[in-house]
């Protein structure tokens, strides 16, 4: 017997008898003999629960938990204890997609609340039920722009995170759509280059704020230019920062998208996290993914359902706007609980505390004279500096003290050589920041 | 409180808070120092509630959900097996969940070892050469697998192969993924036994075929017994075979997709490998390929040299499809599941799941129309009641099941049968649970004859009853803001 398989010998015999067969193998009679796998799998033998715990304890020793001054899309924010307590409830964790609304109101309601929160943060009219991550949400936003504008080219700002750029490029390449880059100037997207590249093929323009360097870009004038060209304006923004920064709606965006990991999700070696996607109602029928709507049951009680499903793959098949089937539902619950706990004031405080820590570190590093700021532009919780200290020396010195930060941006491409990133969240203490500065000050 | 009906926003009381943040450390800086044109003007509509308010709210809405631990969940094609608790305990381990994806590999060897070994186990269990665990979900895996196929043909300079053959019984994601990958769908009709029709398949083969997507067992729960012939035909025509891993649970322990001649596949870790569905994600859709195709797998790759694990970005890869390593903590749960079962118990998954489905098939065929005779695999598809009097439809049967404390099966899929009911019991259900289900299904069949209105009205014992979907689509109330406007306009 095995703990996940309840069948006893007697159960199996009785079931076989009902089926008039003598062994389970007979049920596989349609399978050609030549493809039946008769050997043992070359995987390890089973483990008891305590053996498994010991095994993971050993594996854990090969990982090193570090004090994180690293960001670039994945941030070490505070995680309220309430979240794990709620998201681990089996009613949320083990249920399927809410296709039976009568027994799925828990999931449907939090999706509605999630959509409401993304709506207010982005300022746009409608959010879907969430996407896999910020990179794929942005790629889907590009598809959406091409479908709405009935054009086939996307302009990508050169100040986007290269991970996002790479994913957009893969998606566009295979769908046989085109793209071009808008140049950067002094660390921000160059509006003059945008003007030059807006032509009748451009379906959408993608920008990011805060951008790859951490700079808060100002999109004054962008929306007018883009709209005049009948293209769509796509703003990718770290959702947490929208607690204080101008909303995509206020920027004139048609589509907002990006990463939600910053809403207190674990860094989790990169996943699972959560992508969001929001737009105006005019475009909702071209929007990918699930959407939850408000309604009532036949006794007039408040109810929530998945709606406008005619857009989706299980109905439209090859005519669907996207192949996405799931959302990252449980992570959307995570985001909803986080934003419920934080409210507008908490979100503002998180941003302010991160801002303060980041600016304190920034000033201290400049004072060492070993770092310079090539851009001198406004930033929030992360920033980019230039230095002559080899990045390997920085990394080694910090790792010795259990710190990870000062990421050399050249891991994303040679053009970034000499640039390093620091990120500070509200979790970093003054002692940790001072310690970081002391270590770096001693390097040359 | 099953009648609880508040939205979180309706609990709001300004000044209440549900967080505790570190006190200010650096008062010389303030976010207001940013210039005004960068800051938001519009007030946020977020709740202001205490910690206990939040807990009670979400606890109260959670009990309106139905999870695998509530009761039987025979949702066809979804493999709603038990999601082991030890998986969750391991995924909550901070030594893994606190790792930043850009950390130097010298500090993440444990995490990479899990990832690498899971790749290896999946290869062994599926008979394919190499896996990437980066795809985030089944549909994402399909897209990536199709990208591999396209990359392969283009790499050979063969640019006209852009057609993918898909049986009409396939999941909707198959054709949708094909189009998203910039290829065209060639749909072929199934034969009267619900299988691929070899004649019709042969008729569409030509030098524009990039490959074929197939679920085996197919969505009718039937094994494609001509599978060797099918893969041979596609290969001879110059195409590649894609295995949709949606129904892999039937084969675990019995058949490996690679051995049937498949070149590319995805696995839904949230089905076959027991990771929770989470109300619709996060899932994980690793993609496996043959040795020839391994060079196209997406970046970043996890490799091993001697005893050291490292991250590699290759120029031959199809590109990048995720920010980092996919839904890593989901993969870690699947790893835990494989280590818990071990080679001994993994062998039993498919056989037990298949036994359960056939037992149901046998027991229900006296009341429900079984359109495809013979043995099924891990799931069985009926076409509504045999007795079609009283206009009792599949939807009514599904809704009535909810009143008996069971989740409904998948309904109206596959599209081949107008009243399709697709039942997948999985291997983790006991004979007692299955017998209960069978009894309830027979009770419902009798009700359909004697008291059809009971079914039309069902469910009546659930937190809410049937919903007005037309209203939802027409009113387009997608947020609390929309809701407030709707209430105000209504007066």
């Amino acid at each position: 017997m095995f703990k996940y398989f309840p069948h006893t010998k007697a159960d199996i015999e009785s079931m076989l008898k009902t089926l008039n067969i003598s062994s389970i193998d007979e049920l596989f009679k349609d399978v050609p003999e030549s493809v039946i796998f008769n050997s043992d799998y070359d995987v390890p033998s089973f483990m008891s629960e305590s053996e498994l715990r010991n095994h993971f304890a050993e594996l854990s020793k090969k990982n090193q938990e570090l004090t994180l001054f690293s960001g670039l899309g994945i941030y070490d924010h505070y995680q309220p204890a309430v979240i794990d307590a709620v998201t681990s409830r089996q009613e949320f964790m083990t249920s399927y997609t809410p296709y039976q609304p009568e027994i799925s109101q828990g999931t449907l309601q939090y999706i509605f609340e999630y959509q409401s929160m993304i709506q207010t943060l982005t300022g746009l009219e409608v959010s879907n039920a969430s996407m896999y991550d910020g990179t794929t949400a942005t790629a889907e936003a590009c598809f959406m722009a091409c479908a709405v504008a009935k054009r086939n080219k996307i302009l990508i700002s050169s100040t986007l995170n290269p991970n996002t750029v790479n994913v957009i490029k893969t998606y566009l390449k295979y769908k046989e759509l085109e793209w071009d880059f808008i140049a950067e100037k002094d660390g921000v997207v160059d509006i003059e280059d945008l003007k030059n590249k807006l032509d009748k093929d451009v379906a959408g323009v993608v920008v990011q704020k805060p951008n790859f360097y951490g700079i808060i870009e100002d999109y004054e004038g962008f929306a007018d230019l883009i709209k005049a060209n009948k293209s769509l304006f796509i703003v990718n923004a770290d959702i947490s920062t929208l607690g204080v920064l101008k909303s995509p709606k206020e920027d004139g965006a048609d589509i907002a998208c990006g990463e939600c990991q910053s809403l207190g999700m674990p860094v989790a070696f990169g996943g699972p996290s959560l992508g969001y996607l929001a737009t105006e109602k005019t475009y909702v029928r071209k929007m990918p993914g699930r959407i939850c709507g408000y309604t009532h049951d036949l006794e007039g009680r408040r109810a929530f359902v998945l709606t406008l499903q005619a857009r989706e793959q299980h109905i439209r098949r090859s005519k669907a706007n996207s192949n996405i089937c799931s959302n990252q539902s449980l992570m959307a619950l995570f985001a909803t609980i986080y934003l419920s706990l934080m409210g507008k004031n908490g979100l503002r405080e998180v941003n302010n505390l991160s801002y303060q820590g980041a600016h304190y570190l920034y000033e201290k590093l400049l004072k060492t004279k070993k770092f310079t700021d090539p851009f001198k532009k406004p930033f929030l919780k992360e920033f980019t500096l230039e230095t002559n200290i080899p990045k390997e020396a920085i990394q080694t010195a910090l790792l010795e003290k259990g710190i990870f930060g000062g990421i050399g941006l050249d891991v994303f491409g040679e053009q970034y050589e000499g640039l390093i990133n620091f990120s500070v969240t509200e979790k970093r203490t003054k002692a940790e920041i001072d310690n970081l500065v002391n270590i770096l000050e001693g390097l040359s | 409180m099953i009648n609880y009906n508040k939205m979180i926003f309706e609990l709001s009381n300004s000044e209440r808070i549900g967080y505790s943040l570190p006190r200010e450390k650096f008062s010389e800086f303030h976010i207001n120092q940013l210039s005004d044109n960068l800051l938001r003007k519009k007030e946020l509509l977020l709740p202001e509630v205490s910690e206990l308010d939040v807990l009670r709210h979400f606890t109260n809405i959670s009990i309106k959900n139905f999870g695998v631990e509530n009761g039987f969940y025979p949702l066809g094609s979804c493999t709603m097996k038990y999601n082991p608790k030890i998986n969750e305990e391991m995924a909550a381990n901070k030594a893994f969940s606190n790792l930043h994806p850009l950390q130097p590999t010298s500090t993440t060897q444990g995490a990479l070892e899990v990832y690498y070994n899971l790749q290896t186990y999946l290869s062994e269990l599926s008979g394919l050469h190499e896996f990437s665990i980066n795809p985030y979900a089944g549909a994402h895996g399909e897209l990536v697998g199709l990208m591999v196929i396209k990359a392969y043909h283009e790499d050979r300079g063969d640019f006209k192969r852009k057609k993918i053959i898909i049986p009409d019984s396939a999941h909707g994601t198959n054709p949708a993924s094909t189009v998203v990958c910039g290829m065209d769908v060639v749909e072929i009709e199934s034969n009267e036994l619900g299988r691929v029709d070899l004649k019709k398949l042969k008729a569409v083969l030509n030098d524009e075929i990039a490959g074929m997507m197939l679920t085996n067992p197919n969505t009718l729960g039937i094994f494609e017994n001509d599978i060797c012939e099918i893969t041979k035909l596609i290969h001879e025509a110059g195409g590649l075979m894609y295995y949709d891993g949606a129904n892999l649970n039937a084969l675990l322990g019995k058949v490996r997709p690679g051995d049937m001649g498949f070149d590319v596949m995805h696995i839904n870790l949230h089905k076959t490998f027991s990771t929770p569905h989470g109300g619709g994600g996060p899932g994980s859709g690793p993609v496996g390929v043959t040795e020839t195709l391994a060079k196209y797998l997406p970046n970043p790759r996890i490799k091993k040299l001697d005893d050291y694990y490292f991250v590699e970005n290759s120029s031959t890869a199809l590109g990048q499809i995720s920010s980092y390593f996919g839904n890593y903590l989901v993969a870690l749960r699947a790893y835990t599941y494989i280590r818990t079962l071990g080679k001994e118990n993994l062998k039993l998954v498919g056989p037990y799941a298949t036994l359960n489905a056939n037992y149901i098939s046998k027991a229900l065929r006296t009341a429900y129309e079984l359109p495809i005779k013979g043995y099924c695999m891990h799931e069985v598809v009926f076409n509504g009641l045999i007795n079609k009097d009283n206009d009792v439809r599949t939807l009514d049967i599904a809704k009535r099941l909810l009143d008996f404390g069971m989740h409904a099966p998948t309904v109206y899929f596959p599209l081949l049968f107008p009243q399709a009911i697709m039942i997948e019991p999985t291997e983790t259900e006991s004979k007692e649970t299955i017998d209960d289900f069978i009894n309830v299904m027979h009770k419902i069949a009798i009700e359909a004859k004697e008291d059809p209105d009971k079914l039309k009205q069902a469910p009546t014992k659930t937190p809410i009853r049937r919903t007005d979907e037309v209203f939802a689509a027409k009113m387009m109330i997608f947020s609390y803001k929309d809701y407030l406007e709707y209430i105000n306009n209504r007066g």
Side-chain angles (χ1 to χ4, degrees):
Chain A
M1 293 296 290
F2 174 69
K3 59 182 173 174
Y4 303 157
F5 305 151
H7 287 343
T8 62
K9 234 181 213 161
D11 290 337
I12 295 170
E13 272 165 28
S14 136
M15 293 168 88
L16 290 174
K17 206 172 153 200
T18 306
L19 290 166
N20 285 323
I21 53 175
S22 56
S23 84
I24 298 177
D25 284 347
E26 290 180 46
L27 299 172
F28 288 84
K29 71 174 184 45
D30 285 341
V31 180
E33 189 63 35
S34 62
V35 301
I36 293 274
F37 185 73
N38 282 318
S39 0
D40 278 342
Y41 287 130
D42 183 17
V43 299
S45 188
F46 65 87
M47 273 183 172
S48 70
E49 209 160 278
S50 45
E51 283 168 333
L52 197 68
R53 285 191 177 121
N54 291 339
H55 171 61
F56 266 92
E58 287 304 312
L59 285 168
S60 299
K61 287 184 198 152
K62 302 178 191 173
N63 294 332
Q64 207 182 337
E65 278 185 78
L66 302 166
T67 303
L68 299 176
F69 282 93
S70 48
L72 296 167
I74 308 271
Y75 305 94
D76 182 27
H77 284 289
Y78 140 74
Q79 298 159 36
V82 169
I83 300 182
D84 277 347
V86 176
T87 56
S88 61
R89 289 184 66 88
Q90 71 86 25
E91 294 89 341
F92 288 133
M93 184 174 273
T94 72
S95 54
Y96 192 69
T97 300
Y99 289 137
Q100 297 288 339
E102 297 88 346
I103 50 165
S104 310
Q105 285 299 298
T107 301
L108 287 159
Q109 180 164 339
Y110 79 66
I111 291 176
F112 186 85
E113 292 173 351
Y114 162 83
Q115 289 177 181
S116 303
M117 292 171 180
I118 299 297
Q119 184 284 316
T120 193
L121 284 162
T122 60
L124 295 170
E125 289 171 342
V126 47
S127 159
N128 71 5
S130 75
M131 311 292 287
Y132 305 135
D133 74 350
T135 66
T136 56
T138 312
E140 292 268 10
C142 294
F143 281 174
M144 203 183 135
C146 291
V148 168
K150 297 194 173 69
R151 294 178 178 181
N152 62 0
K153 187 159 87 184
I154 298 294
L155 294 183
I156 306 170
S157 162
S158 297
T159 62
L160 243 63
N161 184 311
N163 278 334
T164 315
V165 173
N166 288 341
V167 173
I168 295 174
K169 278 163 64 179
T170 307
Y171 271 60
L172 293 180
K173 178 182 160 197
Y174 285 90
K175 188 123 191 244
E176 298 176 22
L177 297 165
E178 294 163 32
W179 66 89
D180 197 356
F181 288 95
I182 317 167
E184 70 166 82
K185 196 179 169 198
D186 307 324
V188 296
V189 59
D190 181 11
I191 192 165
E192 294 306 318
D193 198 47
L194 170 66
K195 280 180 199 164
N196 294 335
K197 287 180 176 155
L198 274 171
D199 62 32
K200 61 172 180 28
D201 293 330
V202 174
V205 177
V206 198
V207 298
Q208 181 188 327
K209 76 168 192 184
N211 71 17
F212 178 52
Y213 302 118
I215 297 169
I216 307 166
E217 300 194 342
D218 182 4
Y219 301 124
E220 184 68 45
F222 277 57
D224 290 344
L225 280 172
I226 294 165
K227 276 183 181 49
N229 194 56
K230 296 194 169 62
S231 312
L232 278 78
F233 187 24
I234 304 168
V235 175
N236 172 308
D238 170 0
I239 195 77
S240 164
T241 67
L242 296 182
V244 291
L245 297 183
K246 206 178 199 178
S247 70
K249 171 75 177 178
E250 291 166 326
D251 284 322
D254 300 293
I255 305 174
C257 54
E259 185 57 58
C260 295
Q261 185 278 334
S262 53
L263 300 178
M265 292 174 198
V267 289
F269 209 37
S273 65
L274 178 72
Y276 73 92
L277 186 71
T279 189
E280 301 288 23
K281 281 188 182 170
T282 330
Y283 305 131
V284 71
R285 283 173 206 281
K286 300 284 182 203
M287 193 180 216
R290 296 171 181 153
I291 298 175
C292 172
Y294 175 93
T295 188
H296 46 78
D297 76 351
L298 55 80
E299 289 179 13
R301 280 176 296 206
R302 176 182 277 185
F304 303 92
V305 291
L306 294 180
T307 190
L308 304 187
Q309 294 188 64
R311 300 164 298 113
E312 293 182 67
Q313 50 76 29
H314 62 284
I315 311 278
R316 270 181 89 74
R317 301 177 74 87
S318 64
K319 302 211 166 38
N321 301 322
S322 165
N323 73 330
I324 196 164
C325 182
S326 54
N327 55 343
Q328 297 271 101
S329 206
L330 201 67
M331 302 315 286
L333 173 62
F334 198 116
T336 309
I337 301 167
Y338 178 86
L339 288 167
S340 300
L341 291 166
M342 301 305 280
K344 59 185 174 192
N345 295 321
L347 203 52
R348 193 174 164 78
E349 268 188 61
V350 160
N351 276 291
N352 188 41
L353 290 168
S354 304
Y355 176 94
Q356 292 180 325
H359 284 74
Y360 174 78
L361 173 63
Y362 171 85
E363 299 276 327
K364 283 267 196 181
L365 287 176
L366 289 188
K367 269 192 203 135
T368 64
K369 308 271 186 211
K370 291 177 174 164
F371 298 88
T372 54
D373 180 356
F375 306 123
K376 300 187 180 61
K377 292 269 171 30
F379 63 91
L380 209 161
K381 64 185 171 191
E382 67 183 327
F383 55 88
T384 300
L385 297 178
E386 209 162 10
T387 181
N388 292 324
I389 309 172
K391 59 162 189 174
E392 294 76 14
I394 293 176
Q395 197 165 85
T396 311
L398 293 180
L399 279 182
E400 273 173 20
K401 305 284 182 191
I403 301 168
F404 178 55
I407 299 171
L409 294 188
D410 58 355
V411 298
F412 293 99
E414 290 168 359
Q415 69 270 38
Y416 301 117
E417 188 153 352
L419 297 178
I420 60 170
N421 164 285
F422 290 96
S423 173
V424 185
T425 65
E426 75 285 359
K427 274 177 75 177
R428 297 287 74 84
T429 64
K430 182 168 184 298
E432 286 169 344
I433 300 175
D434 288 339
N435 185 34
L436 174 74
V437 174
N438 283 338
I439 297 165
L440 294 175
E441 217 167 9
L443 299 177
S444 51
Chain B
M1 280 211 302
I2 208 79
N3 293 324
Y4 178 80
N5 72 344
K6 290 273 198 293
M7 283 193 250
I8 188 77
F9 305 96
E10 292 163 336
L11 307 180
S12 198
N13 190 335
S14 74
E15 292 184 26
R16 240 173 233 162
I17 63 167
Y19 60 89
S20 62
L21 286 165
R23 63 197 73 197
E24 273 195 16
K25 294 155 284 203
F26 315 103
S27 53
E28 65 271 37
F29 302 103
H30 196 278
I31 198 129
N32 286 344
Q33 291 159 352
L34 287 171
S35 86
D36 207 38
N37 63 326
L38 299 178
L39 297 173
R40 74 178 300 134
K41 306 282 174 307
K42 186 133 171 117
E43 185 88 342
L44 285 169
L45 187 59
L46 288 177
E48 291 171 84
V49 286
S50 73
E51 190 165 307
L52 184 58
D53 287 338
V54 171
L55 277 160
R56 286 211 176 122
H57 173 73
F58 288 103
T59 300
N60 278 315
I61 68 168
S62 80
I63 60 177
K64 301 180 187 193
N65 260 13
F66 187 93
V68 171
E69 291 163 35
N70 282 102
F72 190 43
Y73 221 123
L75 199 59
S77 223
C78 301
T79 314
M80 302 301 286
K81 63 173 73 175
Y82 166 57
N83 307 143
K85 294 298 165 193
I86 189 72
N87 296 1
E88 300 309 315
E89 184 180 308
M90 296 303 108
N93 187 338
K94 300 266 187 257
F96 289 84
S97 67
N98 282 351
L99 297 177
H100 194 282
L102 289 168
Q103 271 182 230
T105 50
S106 62
T107 66
T108 59
Q109 285 295 299
L112 294 171
E113 184 175 332
V114 166
Y115 191 109
Y116 183 86
N117 284 342
L118 180 60
Q119 286 177 179
T120 314
Y121 301 154
L122 295 179
S123 292
E124 168 65 12
L125 296 173
S126 62
L128 281 162
H129 185 259
E130 211 164 328
F131 267 81
S132 162
I133 302 167
N134 294 358
Y136 286 121
H140 202 218
E142 284 180 22
L143 176 58
V144 173
L146 289 163
M147 286 173 174
V148 168
I149 292 176
K150 201 172 182 190
Y152 162 78
H153 289 304
E154 289 183 354
D155 208 20
R156 295 183 305 112
D158 190 346
F159 293 94
K160 63 179 179 306
R161 289 193 183 266
K162 287 202 179 156
K163 289 187 176 156
I164 297 287
I165 301 169
I166 299 174
D168 57 2
S169 63
H171 296 107
T173 46
N174 288 186
S177 301
T178 301
V179 171
V180 170
C181 195
M183 297 198 280
D184 297 318
V185 177
V186 178
E187 189 176 277
I188 53 164
E189 237 178 274
S190 304
N191 67 18
E192 66 289 349
L193 296 171
R195 294 188 168 107
V196 172
D197 188 322
L198 288 180
K199 255 191 215 147
K200 286 183 177 142
L201 175 63
K202 281 178 193 158
V204 298
L205 293 176
N206 58 39
D207 61 359
E208 292 179 356
I209 296 299
M212 176 176 189
M213 293 183 95
L214 196 62
T215 315
N216 193 18
N218 63 25
T219 59
L220 293 162
I222 306 290
F223 193 86
E224 297 280 357
N225 52 354
D226 289 327
I227 186 61
C228 298
E229 180 69 12
I230 295 168
T231 53
K232 190 166 154 256
L233 283 170
I234 295 290
H235 287 152
E236 281 171 2
L240 297 176
M241 282 302 292
Y242 184 95
Y243 181 84
D244 175 342
N247 293 345
L248 183 66
N249 207 52
L251 302 190
L252 196 55
K254 219 57 198 165
V255 186
R256 306 191 307 170
D259 298 340
M260 292 187 278
F262 286 94
D263 305 284
V264 187
M265 73 177 291
H266 82 267
I267 294 176
N268 300 292
L269 295 184
H270 47 284
K271 295 182 182 178
T272 314
F273 293 96
S274 83
T275 72
H277 282 75
S284 177
V287 166
V289 296
T290 56
E291 191 167 4
T292 320
L293 301 173
K295 62 179 180 176
Y296 304 114
L297 284 174
N299 287 329
R301 309 290 323 282
I302 308 299
K303 302 260 179 158
K304 182 183 178 185
L305 187 63
D306 299 328
D307 276 330
Y308 192 81
Y309 302 93
F310 62 100
V311 179
E312 183 185 88
N313 283 296
S314 151
S315 61
T316 60
L318 62 87
Q320 192 177 336
I321 50 89
S322 58
S323 50
Y324 292 99
F325 312 115
N327 286 331
Y328 178 78
L329 293 181
V330 177
L332 184 144
R333 289 173 170 92
Y335 173 88
T336 306
Y337 175 77
I338 291 173
R339 298 303 305 260
T340 301
L341 269 69
K343 59 181 167 193
E344 301 86 352
N345 294 299
L346 286 165
K347 285 284 264 185
L348 299 173
V349 170
Y352 282 175
T354 301
L355 175 65
N356 287 351
N358 278 284
Y359 183 70
I360 291 173
S361 165
K362 176 88 183 201
L364 291 185
R365 66 181 68 174
T366 52
Y368 293 85
E369 183 191 329
L370 185 71
I372 309 274
K373 308 289 184 278
Y375 295 134
C376 63
M377 300 294 283
H378 68 307
E379 65 190 1
V380 54
V381 177
F382 291 98
N383 184 26
L385 286 158
I386 292 175
N387 182 350
K388 305 269 193 242
D389 300 345
N390 293 339
D391 190 34
V392 169
R393 294 164 310 132
T394 279
L395 185 73
D396 306 319
I397 297 162
K399 297 300 184 194
R400 184 66 181 134
L401 263 175
L402 307 181
D403 278 337
F404 287 96
M406 292 178 182
H407 199 280
T410 294
V411 292
Y412 300 111
F413 186 81
L415 309 173
L416 306 186
F417 305 109
Q419 295 297 320
I421 308 180
M422 187 196 242
I423 300 165
E424 180 181 4
T426 86
E427 74 284 2
T428 60
E429 297 300 334
S430 67
K431 181 171 178 294
E432 288 88 335
T433 304
I434 293 171
D435 283 337
D436 278 349
F437 171 72
I438 291 167
N439 287 337
V440 165
M441 287 293 280
H442 279 295
K443 228 180 256 175
I444 291 174
I446 292 167
E447 284 178 353
K449 207 169 1 171
E450 294 172 356
D451 189 4
D453 199 47
K454 202 167 206 165
L455 273 73
K456 299 276 169 206
Q457 291 301 319
T460 58
K461 295 177 186 161
T462 44
I464 59 160
R465 297 184 58 196
R466 292 195 199 185
T467 53
D468 187 344
E469 304 197 359
V470 175
F471 176 91
K474 189 178 128 204
M475 298 307 289
M476 300 216 290
I477 301 168
F478 301 138
S479 65
Y480 186 56
K481 177 173 174 278
D482 287 348
Y483 170 76
L484 291 178
E485 282 164 15
Y486 162 70
I487 294 295
N488 286 338
N489 291 339
R490 207 179 51 172

